[in-house]
């Protein structure tokens, strides 16, 4: 096989892998968005769903905002269901309907910090957190700065906004 053939085969493989991953991302992110509808309503918090999926496309954990207490965030809830040193976390992806928080008043660690500490190397989310409750969320940037792959899928934004209509006077 020539160098050109090898490069072509590699590009072909990476293109098909990217397409397959994008399809899987859509399925898992749709589930995270659906989980946002399970959140008990709060006039001071977003409804967010999250799930963690291992490298073999198996769900490891899921959570949503306020599912265990009034202050728990979705990513925090999903991560809490796994041991901190779970062997599949470094190859896992966390899917969240909203950009992981970078500022937090109710807990000492933000969701961004929790994700970085977990060893997860990939985050997929639907909607960048608007400056409604927190000014200028930097979750995506902080995750990228930590070497984590971040994928934004803004086509899901309308669905996430609908799950959060209560914050925009539309409920």
């Amino acid at each position: 096989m020539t160098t050109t053939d090898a490069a072509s085969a590699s590009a072909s493989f990476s293109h098909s892998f990217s397409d397959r991953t994008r399809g899987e991302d859509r399925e898992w992110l749709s589930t995270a968005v659906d989980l946002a509808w399970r959140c008990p309503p709060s006039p001071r918090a977003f409804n967010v769903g999250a799930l963690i999926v291992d490298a073999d496309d198996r769900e490891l954990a899921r959570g949503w905002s306020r599912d265990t207490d009034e202050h728990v965030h979705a990513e925090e809830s999903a991560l809490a269901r796994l041991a901190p040193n779970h062997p599949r976390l470094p190859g896992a992806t966390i899917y969240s309907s909203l950009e992981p928080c970078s500022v937090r008043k109710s807990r000492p660690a933000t969701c961004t910090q929790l994700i970085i500490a977990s060893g997860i190397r990939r985050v997929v989310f639907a909607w960048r957190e608007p400056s409604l409750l927190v000014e200028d969320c930097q979750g995506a940037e902080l995750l990228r700065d930590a070497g984590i792959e971040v994928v934004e899928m803004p086509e899901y934004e309308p669905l996430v906004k609908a799950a959060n209509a209560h914050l925009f006077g539309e409920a």
Side-chain angles (χ1 to χ4, degrees):
M1 180 181 280
T2 68
T3 305
T4 305
D5 291 338
S8 178
S10 174
S12 173
F13 172 75
S14 101
H15 177 69
S16 63
F17 178 76
S18 174
D19 290 346
R20 184 179 62 81
T21 300
R22 194 78 170 161
E24 291 167 356
D25 285 346
R26 282 182 181 56
E27 290 177 34
W28 290 117
L29 190 56
S30 290
T31 301
V33 171
D34 288 345
L35 291 171
W37 288 97
R38 294 185 179 190
C39 301
S42 170
R44 297 177 312 277
F46 284 101
N47 291 345
V48 181
L51 63 149
I52 302 168
V53 177
D54 73 8
D56 295 323
D57 204 34
R58 291 183 300 221
E59 182 177 328
L60 298 177
R62 61 175 55 194
W64 53 90
S65 301
R66 301 174 298 286
D67 67 345
T68 58
D69 73 58
E70 66 180 302
H71 298 293
V72 74
H73 286 195
E75 301 92 337
E76 172 187 29
S77 176
L79 284 164
R81 289 179 165 84
L82 299 171
N85 57 352
H86 193 288
R88 290 194 175 124
L89 283 174
T93 298
I94 188 164
Y95 293 88
S96 181
S97 60
L98 189 69
E99 176 183 17
C101 71
S102 62
V103 174
R104 188 134 182 217
K105 296 176 185 172
S106 62
R107 298 271 207 259
T110 67
C111 291
T112 298
Q113 291 167 327
L114 294 170
I115 292 167
I116 293 168
S118 76
I120 288 175
R121 306 306 310 151
R122 189 166 185 268
V123 176
V124 177
F125 69 88
W127 186 25
R128 282 219 178 222
E129 184 171 340
S131 296
L132 180 66
L133 303 173
V134 173
E135 194 65 34
D136 194 28
C137 181
Q138 296 290 310
E141 291 77 11
L142 292 170
L143 291 164
R144 284 185 181 113
D145 289 349
I148 296 171
E149 178 185 354
V150 176
V151 178
E152 299 178 45
M153 298 184 77
E155 60 266 33
Y156 287 87
E157 181 179 319
L159 299 171
V160 181
K161 281 183 177 177
N164 287 281
H166 65 286
L167 294 174
F168 301 98
E170 300 170 11

